[in-house]
Amino acid sequence: MKINRELCDVCGTCVSVCPVDAIIVSEFKVDIDNMKCINCLNCLKVCPIKAITEDK
Ligand code: SF4
Ligand code: SF4
């Protein structure tokens, strides 16, 4: 999963739907740990501005 930082406004919505805690939010940005990610696509589906894509 990849987050488009130009679009992401760090709303935090994606963080709460990740079953493996692969999404790390800090004050200014959100990161996805692709080593932990199981490609469930939850984050991609809930992002209100479609800032997450399946790219690595
Ligand atoms: S695809 Fe699923 S496992 Fe991967 S970061 Fe998104 S919510 Fe977490
Ligand atoms: S849901 Fe989308 S906009 Fe919100 S923090 Fe996650 S990637 Fe960014």
Side-chain angles (χ1 to χ4, degrees), residues 1 17-20 22-23 32 37-43:
M1 299 294 122
V17 300
C18 181
V20 293
I23 308 178
I32 294 180
C37 174
I38 55 167
N39 296 311
C40 72
L41 305 183
N42 282 356
C43 56

Side-chain angles (χ1 to χ4, degrees), residues 27-46:
E27 196 174 347
F28 303 109
K29 67 181 172 80
V30 174
D31 277 310
I32 294 180
D33 182 345
N34 279 307
M35 299 295 282
K36 278 187 174 180
C37 174
I38 55 167
N39 296 311
C40 72
L41 305 183
N42 282 356
C43 56
L44 184 148
K45 287 179 199 154
V46 299

Side-chain angles (χ1 to χ4, degrees), residues 3 7-15 30 43 46-52:
I3 296 178
L7 294 176
C8 174
D9 59 6
V10 197
C11 69
T13 305
C14 56
V15 178
V30 174
C43 56
V46 299
C47 178
I49 51 174
K50 308 265 183 278
I52 304 178

